[in-house]
PDB file of all heavy atoms in Angstrom:
ATOM      1  N   THR A 124      59.095 -28.407  30.800  1.00 98.00           N
ATOM      2  CA  THR A 124      58.403 -29.053  29.692  1.00 98.00           C
ATOM      3  C   THR A 124      56.999 -29.478  30.142  1.00 98.00           C
ATOM      4  O   THR A 124      56.049 -29.373  29.361  1.00 98.00           O
ATOM      5  CB  THR A 124      59.188 -30.261  29.185  1.00 98.00           C
ATOM      6  OG1 THR A 124      60.471 -29.807  28.736  1.00 98.00           O
ATOM      7  CG2 THR A 124      58.480 -30.964  28.011  1.00 98.00           C
ATOM      8  N   ALA A 125      56.837 -29.897  31.378  1.00 98.00           N
ATOM      9  CA  ALA A 125      55.513 -30.224  31.885  1.00 98.00           C
ATOM     10  C   ALA A 125      54.607 -29.002  31.865  1.00 98.00           C
ATOM     11  O   ALA A 125      53.405 -29.132  31.580  1.00 98.00           O
ATOM     12  CB  ALA A 125      55.598 -30.788  33.306  1.00 98.00           C
ATOM     13  N   ASP A 126      55.156 -27.829  32.119  1.00 98.00           N
ATOM     14  CA  ASP A 126      54.355 -26.595  32.025  1.00 98.00           C
ATOM     15  C   ASP A 126      53.854 -26.400  30.589  1.00 98.00           C
ATOM     16  O   ASP A 126      52.714 -25.938  30.400  1.00 98.00           O
ATOM     17  CB  ASP A 126      55.199 -25.389  32.449  1.00 98.00           C
ATOM     18  CG  ASP A 126      55.392 -25.322  33.968  1.00 98.00           C
ATOM     19  OD1 ASP A 126      54.704 -26.068  34.718  1.00 98.00           O
ATOM     20  OD2 ASP A 126      56.258 -24.531  34.391  1.00 98.00           O
ATOM     21  N   LEU A 127      54.661 -26.697  29.612  1.00 98.00           N
ATOM     22  CA  LEU A 127      54.162 -26.639  28.233  1.00 98.00           C
ATOM     23  C   LEU A 127      52.998 -27.583  28.025  1.00 98.00           C
ATOM     24  O   LEU A 127      51.982 -27.221  27.410  1.00 98.00           O
ATOM     25  CB  LEU A 127      55.270 -27.009  27.232  1.00 98.00           C
ATOM     26  CG  LEU A 127      56.341 -25.987  26.910  1.00 98.00           C
ATOM     27  CD1 LEU A 127      57.380 -26.571  25.987  1.00 98.00           C
ATOM     28  CD2 LEU A 127      55.739 -24.721  26.335  1.00 98.00           C
ATOM     29  N   LEU A 128      53.134 -28.786  28.537  1.00 98.00           N
ATOM     30  CA  LEU A 128      52.060 -29.758  28.415  1.00 98.00           C
ATOM     31  C   LEU A 128      50.766 -29.245  29.052  1.00 98.00           C
ATOM     32  O   LEU A 128      49.665 -29.398  28.500  1.00 98.00           O
ATOM     33  CB  LEU A 128      52.431 -31.098  29.025  1.00 98.00           C
ATOM     34  CG  LEU A 128      53.561 -31.878  28.360  1.00 98.00           C
ATOM     35  CD1 LEU A 128      53.822 -33.177  29.126  1.00 98.00           C
ATOM     36  CD2 LEU A 128      53.283 -32.152  26.907  1.00 98.00           C
ATOM     37  N   HIS A 129      50.880 -28.582  30.209  1.00 98.00           N
ATOM     38  CA  HIS A 129      49.686 -28.033  30.877  1.00 98.00           C
ATOM     39  C   HIS A 129      48.984 -27.042  29.974  1.00 98.00           C
ATOM     40  O   HIS A 129      47.753 -27.101  29.861  1.00 98.00           O
ATOM     41  CB  HIS A 129      50.084 -27.339  32.188  1.00 98.00           C
ATOM     42  CG  HIS A 129      50.721 -28.226  33.180  1.00 98.00           C
ATOM     43  ND1 HIS A 129      51.576 -27.758  34.154  1.00 98.00           N
ATOM     44  CD2 HIS A 129      50.662 -29.576  33.381  1.00 98.00           C
ATOM     45  CE1 HIS A 129      52.016 -28.738  34.910  1.00 98.00           C
ATOM     46  NE2 HIS A 129      51.467 -29.838  34.453  1.00 98.00           N
ATOM     47  N   ALA A 130      49.717 -26.193  29.325  1.00 98.00           N
ATOM     48  CA  ALA A 130      49.117 -25.184  28.457  1.00 98.00           C
ATOM     49  C   ALA A 130      48.489 -25.845  27.250  1.00 98.00           C
ATOM     50  O   ALA A 130      47.368 -25.478  26.826  1.00 98.00           O
ATOM     51  CB  ALA A 130      50.161 -24.147  28.020  1.00 98.00           C
ATOM     52  N   PHE A 131      49.151 -26.843  26.684  1.00 98.00           N
ATOM     53  CA  PHE A 131      48.587 -27.522  25.511  1.00 98.00           C
ATOM     54  C   PHE A 131      47.297 -28.247  25.888  1.00 98.00           C
ATOM     55  O   PHE A 131      46.299 -28.171  25.159  1.00 98.00           O
ATOM     56  CB  PHE A 131      49.584 -28.558  24.946  1.00 98.00           C
ATOM     57  CG  PHE A 131      50.910 -28.057  24.496  1.00 98.00           C
ATOM     58  CD1 PHE A 131      51.929 -28.960  24.249  1.00 98.00           C
ATOM     59  CD2 PHE A 131      51.174 -26.708  24.281  1.00 98.00           C
ATOM     60  CE1 PHE A 131      53.165 -28.551  23.801  1.00 98.00           C
ATOM     61  CE2 PHE A 131      52.421 -26.266  23.845  1.00 98.00           C
ATOM     62  CZ  PHE A 131      53.424 -27.202  23.602  1.00 98.00           C
ATOM     63  N   ILE A 132      47.311 -28.956  27.017  1.00 98.00           N
ATOM     64  CA  ILE A 132      46.157 -29.709  27.459  1.00 98.00           C
ATOM     65  C   ILE A 132      44.970 -28.779  27.675  1.00 98.00           C
ATOM     66  O   ILE A 132      43.852 -29.064  27.212  1.00 98.00           O
ATOM     67  CB  ILE A 132      46.477 -30.509  28.713  1.00 98.00           C
ATOM     68  CG1 ILE A 132      47.424 -31.679  28.405  1.00 98.00           C
ATOM     69  CG2 ILE A 132      45.229 -31.017  29.400  1.00 98.00           C
ATOM     70  CD1 ILE A 132      48.050 -32.348  29.630  1.00 98.00           C
ATOM     71  N   GLU A 133      45.212 -27.680  28.376  1.00 98.00           N
ATOM     72  CA  GLU A 133      44.129 -26.739  28.676  1.00 98.00           C
ATOM     73  C   GLU A 133      43.441 -26.282  27.402  1.00 98.00           C
ATOM     74  O   GLU A 133      42.214 -26.288  27.303  1.00 98.00           O
ATOM     75  CB  GLU A 133      44.667 -25.557  29.454  1.00 98.00           C
ATOM     76  CG  GLU A 133      43.617 -24.561  29.888  1.00 98.00           C
ATOM     77  CD  GLU A 133      43.312 -23.465  28.899  1.00 98.00           C
ATOM     78  OE1 GLU A 133      44.214 -23.100  28.120  1.00 98.00           O
ATOM     79  OE2 GLU A 133      42.156 -22.982  28.873  1.00 98.00           O
ATOM     80  N   LYS A 134      44.198 -25.877  26.402  1.00 98.00           N
ATOM     81  CA  LYS A 134      43.620 -25.346  25.154  1.00 98.00           C
ATOM     82  C   LYS A 134      42.989 -26.435  24.329  1.00 98.00           C
ATOM     83  O   LYS A 134      41.876 -26.253  23.800  1.00 98.00           O
ATOM     84  CB  LYS A 134      44.702 -24.598  24.371  1.00 98.00           C
ATOM     85  CG  LYS A 134      44.132 -23.756  23.265  1.00 98.00           C
ATOM     86  CD  LYS A 134      43.248 -22.655  23.831  1.00 98.00           C
ATOM     87  CE  LYS A 134      42.683 -21.800  22.764  1.00 98.00           C
ATOM     88  NZ  LYS A 134      41.728 -20.812  23.285  1.00 98.00           N
ATOM     89  N   LEU A 135      43.615 -27.571  24.210  1.00 98.00           N
ATOM     90  CA  LEU A 135      43.042 -28.646  23.388  1.00 98.00           C
ATOM     91  C   LEU A 135      41.776 -29.223  23.991  1.00 98.00           C
ATOM     92  O   LEU A 135      40.836 -29.554  23.268  1.00 98.00           O
ATOM     93  CB  LEU A 135      44.082 -29.749  23.133  1.00 98.00           C
ATOM     94  CG  LEU A 135      45.324 -29.306  22.305  1.00 98.00           C
ATOM     95  CD1 LEU A 135      46.281 -30.473  22.166  1.00 98.00           C
ATOM     96  CD2 LEU A 135      44.936 -28.703  20.979  1.00 98.00           C
TER      97      LEU A 135
END
Side-chain angles (χ1 to χ4, degrees):
T124 301
D126 287 346
L127 283 177
L128 294 179
H129 299 154
F131 299 167
I132 290 167
E133 183 272 331
K134 192 63 179 175
L135 296 179

